[in-house]
């Protein structure tokens, strides 16, 4: 993902809204819970409840439905 998309996702997550990303290398996805701006990392909670930390360059932004759980 581009740096601009990363910054946008961080702003969305910081405001308490849901932001979702996909990590193609591991085939995992999750909701952004926070960002570590100093290093360019996204802290993510997967649907299984696990926490991951990925660099923004490894990730893709996901669109998601307006309501309902992430599947």
């Amino acid at each position: 993902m581009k740096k601009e998309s990363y910054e946008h996702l961080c702003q969305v997550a910081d405001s308490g809204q849901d932001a979702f990303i996909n990590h193609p290398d591991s085939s995992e996805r999750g909701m952004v819970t926070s960002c570590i701006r100093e290093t360019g990392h996204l802290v993510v909670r997967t649907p299984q409840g696990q926490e991951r930390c990925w660099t923004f360059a490894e990730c893709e932004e996901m669109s998601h439905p307006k309501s309902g759980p992430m599947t």
Side-chain angles (χ1 to χ4, degrees):
M1 113 179 23
K2 294 182 180 181
K3 180 79 171 177
E4 297 81 24
S5 296
Y6 167 71
E7 290 295 337
H8 172 74
L9 287 174
C10 291
Q11 290 175 357
V12 170
D14 288 348
S15 71
Q17 298 177 41
D18 294 342
F20 297 92
I21 61 170
N22 179 48
H23 188 264
D25 290 345
S26 67
S27 299
E28 289 185 291
R29 61 181 180 251
M31 185 173 74
V32 178
T33 58
S34 64
C35 295
I36 306 170
R37 286 184 169 87
E38 296 82 11
T39 60
H41 284 82
L42 297 141
V43 180
V44 177
R45 180 154 320 273
T46 68
Q48 295 78 25
Q50 299 173 323
E51 190 171 84
R52 300 282 189 250
C53 186
W54 298 319
T55 63
F56 76 87
E58 300 174 323
C59 299
E60 299 172 346
E61 186 174 3
M62 290 176 57
S63 59
H64 61 90
K66 295 282 183 193
S67 63
M70 182 178 63
T71 57

